[in-house]
Amino acid sequence: MSAFLELTGITKKYGDTVVVDDVSIAIEKGETVCLLGPSGAGKSTVLRCINMLERIDNGRIVLDGEELGWRLHRGAMRELSGREEARQRQEIGMVFQSFNLFAHLTVLENVIEAPVGVLKRKKAEAIAEAHELLQQVGLDHKADAYPAQLSGGQQQRVAIARALAMHPKLMLFDEPTSALDPELVSDVLDAIKQLATTGITMVIVTHEIGFAREVSDRFVFMEAGRVVETGPSARLSVEAAENERTRGFLSKVL
Ligand SMILES: Nc1ncnc2c1ncn2[C@@H]1O[C@H](COP(=O)(O)OP(=O)(O)OP(=O)(O)O)[C@@H](O)[C@H]1O
Ligand SMILES: [Mg+2]
Protein backbone atom coordinates (compact mmCIF):
# COMPACT_ATOMS: atom_id res chain seq x y z
CA MET A 1 0.00 0.00 0.00
CA SER A 2 1.55 3.31 -0.98
CA ALA A 3 1.19 6.56 0.97
CA PHE A 4 -1.30 9.28 0.01
CA LEU A 5 1.54 11.44 -1.31
CA GLU A 6 4.64 9.58 -2.29
CA LEU A 7 7.80 11.17 -3.66
CA THR A 8 10.22 8.51 -4.79
CA GLY A 9 13.77 9.46 -5.65
CA ILE A 10 12.90 12.80 -7.18
CA THR A 11 15.72 14.79 -8.71
CA LYS A 12 15.64 18.28 -10.15
CA LYS A 13 18.52 19.95 -11.95
CA TYR A 14 19.03 23.44 -13.26
CA GLY A 15 21.66 23.01 -15.96
CA ASP A 16 24.36 20.94 -14.29
CA THR A 17 23.35 21.91 -10.76
CA VAL A 18 21.37 19.31 -8.86
CA VAL A 19 19.07 21.23 -6.50
CA VAL A 20 16.84 18.32 -5.43
CA ASP A 21 18.85 15.16 -5.11
CA ASP A 22 17.11 11.79 -4.86
CA VAL A 23 14.45 12.91 -2.41
CA SER A 24 11.91 10.37 -1.13
CA ILE A 25 9.11 11.44 1.20
CA ALA A 26 5.91 9.54 2.02
CA ILE A 27 2.96 11.34 3.57
CA GLU A 28 -0.20 9.72 4.83
CA LYS A 29 -3.67 11.10 4.25
CA GLY A 30 -4.51 13.76 6.82
CA GLU A 31 -0.92 14.26 7.89
CA THR A 32 0.68 17.67 8.22
CA VAL A 33 4.37 17.61 7.39
CA CYS A 34 6.69 20.56 7.64
CA LEU A 35 9.71 20.94 5.44
CA LEU A 36 12.65 22.67 7.10
CA GLY A 37 16.17 23.56 6.13
CA PRO A 38 18.59 26.36 5.37
CA SER A 39 18.17 28.75 2.46
CA GLY A 40 18.90 27.03 -0.84
CA ALA A 41 18.20 23.54 0.55
CA GLY A 42 15.63 22.92 -2.20
CA LYS A 43 12.44 23.21 -0.13
CA SER A 44 10.56 25.48 -2.55
CA THR A 45 11.74 23.41 -5.46
CA VAL A 46 10.28 20.27 -3.89
CA LEU A 47 6.90 22.02 -3.53
CA ARG A 48 7.13 23.32 -7.09
CA CYS A 49 7.82 19.79 -8.33
CA ILE A 50 4.81 18.45 -6.43
CA ASN A 51 2.44 20.90 -8.06
CA MET A 52 4.15 20.53 -11.42
CA LEU A 53 5.43 24.08 -11.72
CA GLU A 54 8.75 22.32 -12.27
CA ARG A 55 9.36 19.14 -14.20
CA ILE A 56 11.35 16.52 -12.34
CA ASP A 57 14.38 15.01 -14.06
CA ASN A 58 14.08 11.71 -12.27
CA GLY A 59 11.85 9.84 -9.87
CA ARG A 60 8.09 9.83 -9.47
CA ILE A 61 5.39 11.58 -7.53
CA VAL A 62 2.15 9.75 -6.78
CA LEU A 63 -0.83 11.52 -5.21
CA ASP A 64 -3.79 9.44 -4.08
CA GLY A 65 -2.78 6.55 -6.32
CA GLU A 66 -2.23 8.67 -9.43
CA GLU A 67 1.18 9.44 -10.87
CA LEU A 68 1.61 13.17 -11.43
CA GLY A 69 2.55 14.26 -14.94
CA TRP A 70 2.42 10.78 -16.46
CA ARG A 71 0.01 8.02 -17.26
CA LEU A 72 0.21 4.46 -18.42
CA HIS A 73 -0.84 4.18 -22.05
CA ARG A 74 -0.64 0.83 -23.86
CA GLY A 75 2.03 -0.45 -21.53
CA ALA A 76 4.23 2.65 -21.71
CA MET A 77 4.41 5.79 -19.60
CA ARG A 78 3.22 8.84 -21.51
CA GLU A 79 3.50 12.45 -20.47
CA LEU A 80 0.14 14.03 -19.73
CA SER A 81 -1.30 16.64 -22.05
CA GLY A 82 -1.49 20.21 -20.79
CA ARG A 83 -5.16 19.73 -20.04
CA GLU A 84 -4.69 16.53 -18.05
CA GLU A 85 -1.86 18.15 -16.16
CA ALA A 86 -4.06 21.15 -15.35
CA ARG A 87 -6.68 18.78 -13.91
CA GLN A 88 -4.10 17.19 -11.63
CA ARG A 89 -2.81 20.58 -10.57
CA GLN A 90 -6.33 21.65 -9.58
CA GLU A 91 -6.25 19.01 -6.87
CA ILE A 92 -3.31 20.70 -5.21
CA GLY A 93 -3.75 24.00 -3.39
CA MET A 94 -0.73 26.21 -3.05
CA VAL A 95 -0.17 29.24 -0.85
CA PHE A 96 2.98 31.25 -1.47
CA GLN A 97 4.82 33.91 0.43
CA SER A 98 3.24 36.53 -1.84
CA PHE A 99 -0.52 36.32 -1.89
CA ASN A 100 -1.22 36.96 -5.58
CA LEU A 101 -4.85 37.93 -5.14
CA PHE A 102 -6.63 39.55 -8.07
CA ALA A 103 -6.49 43.26 -7.23
CA HIS A 104 -9.56 44.18 -9.30
CA LEU A 105 -11.79 41.58 -7.61
CA THR A 106 -13.31 41.72 -4.13
CA VAL A 107 -12.39 39.16 -1.50
CA LEU A 108 -15.52 37.14 -2.25
CA GLU A 109 -14.94 37.34 -6.01
CA ASN A 110 -11.36 36.17 -5.52
CA VAL A 111 -12.59 33.08 -3.64
CA ILE A 112 -15.32 32.08 -6.13
CA GLU A 113 -13.35 32.88 -9.28
CA ALA A 114 -11.83 29.44 -9.85
CA PRO A 115 -14.71 27.28 -8.54
CA VAL A 116 -17.10 29.06 -10.90
CA GLY A 117 -14.69 29.67 -13.80
CA VAL A 118 -12.80 26.39 -13.75
CA LEU A 119 -14.94 23.85 -11.88
CA LYS A 120 -18.19 25.31 -13.29
CA ARG A 121 -19.83 25.32 -9.88
CA LYS A 122 -23.15 27.13 -9.59
CA LYS A 123 -22.50 30.70 -8.55
CA ALA A 124 -24.94 30.74 -5.63
CA GLU A 125 -23.38 27.56 -4.23
CA ALA A 126 -19.87 28.90 -4.69
CA ILE A 127 -20.84 32.12 -2.89
CA ALA A 128 -22.37 30.25 0.04
CA GLU A 129 -19.27 28.11 0.39
CA ALA A 130 -16.95 31.12 0.01
CA HIS A 131 -18.69 32.76 2.98
CA GLU A 132 -18.11 29.61 5.04
CA LEU A 133 -14.44 29.50 4.08
CA LEU A 134 -13.99 33.19 4.82
CA GLN A 135 -15.61 32.63 8.18
CA GLN A 136 -13.19 29.79 8.82
CA VAL A 137 -10.24 32.16 8.30
CA GLY A 138 -11.97 34.92 10.27
CA LEU A 139 -12.63 37.26 7.37
CA ASP A 140 -16.23 36.99 6.28
CA HIS A 141 -16.77 40.60 7.33
CA LYS A 142 -14.27 41.59 4.60
CA ALA A 143 -16.07 39.73 1.80
CA ASP A 144 -16.77 42.92 -0.15
CA ALA A 145 -13.42 44.60 0.41
CA TYR A 146 -10.68 44.76 -2.22
CA PRO A 147 -7.25 43.21 -1.53
CA ALA A 148 -5.58 46.64 -1.30
CA GLN A 149 -7.88 47.44 1.64
CA LEU A 150 -6.58 44.47 3.64
CA SER A 151 -3.45 43.90 5.69
CA GLY A 152 -0.90 41.39 4.43
CA GLY A 153 -2.06 38.85 7.00
CA GLN A 154 -5.67 39.27 5.94
CA GLN A 155 -4.72 38.91 2.28
CA GLN A 156 -2.83 35.73 3.09
CA ARG A 157 -5.88 34.31 4.85
CA VAL A 158 -7.99 35.12 1.78
CA ALA A 159 -5.38 33.29 -0.31
CA ILE A 160 -5.87 30.25 1.95
CA ALA A 161 -9.68 30.42 1.58
CA ARG A 162 -9.27 30.78 -2.17
CA ALA A 163 -7.11 27.66 -2.36
CA LEU A 164 -9.56 25.69 -0.21
CA ALA A 165 -12.47 26.69 -2.44
CA MET A 166 -11.08 24.28 -5.06
CA HIS A 167 -11.46 21.34 -2.63
CA PRO A 168 -7.82 20.33 -2.97
CA LYS A 169 -6.59 16.88 -1.94
CA LEU A 170 -3.40 18.44 -0.77
CA MET A 171 -2.36 21.88 0.46
CA LEU A 172 1.17 23.20 0.01
CA PHE A 173 2.43 26.26 1.87
CA ASP A 174 5.71 27.96 1.04
CA GLU A 175 6.75 30.24 3.90
CA PRO A 176 3.23 31.63 4.21
CA THR A 177 4.17 34.16 6.89
CA SER A 178 7.65 35.26 5.93
CA ALA A 179 6.50 38.36 4.04
CA LEU A 180 4.33 39.55 6.93
CA ASP A 181 4.94 42.09 9.65
CA PRO A 182 5.50 40.23 12.93
CA GLU A 183 2.19 41.28 14.46
CA LEU A 184 0.26 39.76 11.54
CA VAL A 185 1.92 36.35 11.63
CA SER A 186 -0.11 34.73 14.39
CA ASP A 187 -3.51 35.13 12.69
CA VAL A 188 -2.24 33.35 9.61
CA LEU A 189 -0.58 30.60 11.67
CA ASP A 190 -3.84 30.18 13.62
CA ALA A 191 -5.78 29.77 10.37
CA ILE A 192 -3.35 27.06 9.25
CA LYS A 193 -3.52 25.34 12.65
CA GLN A 194 -7.29 25.30 12.41
CA LEU A 195 -6.99 23.82 8.93
CA ALA A 196 -4.76 21.02 10.21
CA THR A 197 -7.63 19.83 12.40
CA THR A 198 -9.92 19.37 9.39
CA GLY A 199 -8.06 16.29 8.18
CA ILE A 200 -6.63 17.80 5.01
CA THR A 201 -3.14 16.70 4.01
CA MET A 202 -0.58 19.50 4.14
CA VAL A 203 3.07 20.17 3.42
CA ILE A 204 4.36 23.40 4.95
CA VAL A 205 7.71 25.05 4.36
CA THR A 206 8.35 27.30 7.32
CA HIS A 207 11.06 28.84 9.42
CA GLU A 208 8.69 29.11 12.39
CA ILE A 209 9.94 26.13 14.37
CA GLY A 210 7.56 26.60 17.30
CA PHE A 211 4.64 26.60 14.90
CA ALA A 212 6.03 23.56 13.06
CA ARG A 213 6.33 21.66 16.32
CA GLU A 214 2.78 22.54 17.27
CA VAL A 215 0.96 22.07 13.98
CA SER A 216 2.76 19.31 12.15
CA ASP A 217 2.90 15.59 12.77
CA ARG A 218 6.29 15.12 11.22
CA PHE A 219 9.20 17.16 9.97
CA VAL A 220 11.52 16.64 7.05
CA PHE A 221 14.85 18.43 7.33
CA MET A 222 16.63 19.13 4.03
CA GLU A 223 20.07 20.41 3.25
CA ALA A 224 21.79 20.83 -0.12
CA GLY A 225 18.96 19.13 -1.97
CA ARG A 226 18.82 16.02 0.19
CA VAL A 227 16.69 14.79 3.06
CA VAL A 228 18.90 14.70 6.13
CA GLU A 229 16.42 13.70 8.81
CA THR A 230 12.76 13.03 9.22
CA GLY A 231 10.94 12.42 12.47
CA PRO A 232 8.01 13.33 14.69
CA SER A 233 7.71 17.09 15.14
CA ALA A 234 7.94 16.70 18.91
CA ARG A 235 11.62 16.07 18.22
CA LEU A 236 12.12 19.58 16.81
CA SER A 237 14.51 20.82 19.43
CA VAL A 238 18.26 21.06 19.68
CA GLU A 239 18.24 18.35 22.34
CA ALA A 240 15.89 15.88 20.66
CA ALA A 241 16.88 16.05 16.98
CA GLU A 242 18.99 13.04 16.03
CA ASN A 243 21.11 14.34 13.22
CA GLU A 244 23.95 16.68 14.02
CA ARG A 245 23.16 18.90 11.03
CA THR A 246 19.51 19.19 12.05
CA ARG A 247 20.66 20.14 15.54
CA GLY A 248 23.05 22.73 14.09
CA PHE A 249 20.26 24.26 12.04
CA LEU A 250 17.84 24.31 14.98
CA SER A 251 20.42 25.89 17.27
CA LYS A 252 20.68 28.77 14.80
CA VAL A 253 16.97 29.37 14.29
CA LEU A 254 15.53 28.59 17.74
N1 LIG B 1 14.93 28.71 -11.71
C1 LIG B 1 16.11 28.41 -11.17
N2 LIG B 1 17.24 28.36 -11.92
C2 LIG B 1 18.42 28.04 -11.37
N3 LIG B 1 18.62 27.72 -10.08
C3 LIG B 1 17.55 27.76 -9.28
C4 LIG B 1 16.23 28.10 -9.77
N4 LIG B 1 15.37 28.04 -8.74
C5 LIG B 1 16.10 27.68 -7.67
N5 LIG B 1 17.40 27.51 -7.99
C6 LIG B 1 18.48 27.09 -7.07
O1 LIG B 1 18.07 25.88 -6.47
C7 LIG B 1 18.50 25.82 -5.12
C8 LIG B 1 17.31 25.51 -4.24
O2 LIG B 1 16.41 26.59 -4.27
P1 LIG B 1 15.05 26.62 -3.45
O3 LIG B 1 14.36 27.88 -3.81
O4 LIG B 1 14.31 25.36 -3.67
O5 LIG B 1 15.60 26.68 -1.95
P2 LIG B 1 14.81 26.87 -0.58
O6 LIG B 1 15.18 25.74 0.29
O7 LIG B 1 13.38 27.10 -0.87
O8 LIG B 1 15.47 28.20 -0.01
P3 LIG B 1 14.83 29.45 0.78
O9 LIG B 1 14.73 29.03 2.23
O10 LIG B 1 15.83 30.55 0.61
O11 LIG B 1 13.51 29.76 0.17
C9 LIG B 1 19.16 27.16 -4.81
O12 LIG B 1 20.54 27.00 -4.87
C10 LIG B 1 18.68 28.05 -5.93
O13 LIG B 1 19.62 29.03 -6.22
MG1 LIG C 1 12.08 28.69 -0.62
Side-chain angles (χ1 to χ4, degrees):
M1 219 354 233
S2 59
F4 186 66
L5 173 66
E6 196 146 319
L7 278 55
T8 310
I10 68 163
T11 297
K12 174 69 196 169
K13 296 181 209 163
Y14 291 112
D16 291 334
T17 315
V18 180
V19 300
V20 174
D21 189 4
D22 194 21
V23 163
S24 297
I25 303 173
I27 298 178
E28 299 302 330
K29 195 172 170 138
E31 245 191 327
T32 297
V33 171
C34 64
L35 197 49
L36 309 173
S39 184
K43 307 178 300 292
S44 296
T45 307
V46 167
L47 293 193
R48 293 169 59 80
C49 290
I50 295 172
N51 79 346
M52 293 177 283
L53 291 172
E54 298 287 355
R55 184 176 294 265
I56 51 179
D57 296 298
N58 224 322
R60 40 196 314 233
I61 302 177
V62 175
L63 173 62
D64 198 11
E66 204 179 313
E67 177 145 6
L68 300 184
W70 299 82
R71 71 187 160 87
L72 197 60
H73 180 77
R74 296 191 181 153
M77 291 307 281
R78 286 272 185 86
E79 268 185 77
L80 294 185
S81 67
R83 210 165 116 192
E84 292 168 312
E85 200 178 282
R87 180 190 56 78
Q88 287 188 335
R89 193 177 290 121
Q90 273 168 30
E91 299 182 334
I92 302 170
M94 177 114 183
V95 174
F96 301 90
Q97 194 174 335
S98 54
F99 336 116
N100 305 318
L101 298 176
F102 297 114
H104 64 290
L105 299 180
T106 65
V107 163
L108 185 85
E109 287 164 349
N110 264 282
V111 178
I112 67 169
E113 200 264 346
V116 172
V118 180
L119 299 182
K120 310 293 174 203
R121 303 263 321 267
K122 286 203 189 87
K123 197 167 171 187
E125 267 175 39
I127 290 174
E129 191 181 326
H131 282 299
E132 278 171 33
L133 290 169
L134 287 169
Q135 212 158 3
Q136 192 181 322
V137 298
L139 281 176
D140 200 30
H141 61 295
K142 295 285 187 189
D144 297 323
Y146 284 88
Q149 299 168 315
L150 303 182
S151 74
Q154 291 173 331
Q155 291 185 52
Q156 189 61 302
R157 286 183 281 149
V158 174
I160 294 171
R162 182 178 61 171
L164 292 173
M166 292 296 278
H167 296 192
K169 285 181 173 173
L170 174 70
M171 281 288 283
L172 306 175
F173 292 88
D174 194 355
E175 299 193 38
T177 60
S178 59
L180 301 177
D181 291 334
E183 71 273 21
L184 301 176
V185 167
S186 67
D187 285 343
V188 173
L189 296 184
D190 286 345
I192 299 172
K193 266 182 227 164
Q194 201 276 332
L195 196 55
T197 67
T198 66
I200 191 165
T201 311
M202 306 203 279
V203 183
I204 306 174
V205 173
T206 182
H207 290 293
E208 307 267 351
I209 306 299
F211 164 71
R213 198 186 297 121
E214 200 180 334
V215 76
S216 65
D217 303 297
R218 268 187 317 124
F219 74 91
V220 173
F221 176 71
M222 282 183 71
E223 197 182 64
R226 307 196 68 121
V227 173
V228 171
E229 178 173 357
T230 165
S233 296
R235 214 194 281 158
L236 277 175
S237 67
V238 182
E239 300 74 36
E242 286 180 349
N243 189 285
E244 195 183 323
R245 300 215 295 285
T246 312
R247 286 201 299 269
F249 172 77
L250 291 173
S251 71
K252 275 184 228 142
V253 296
L254 279 174

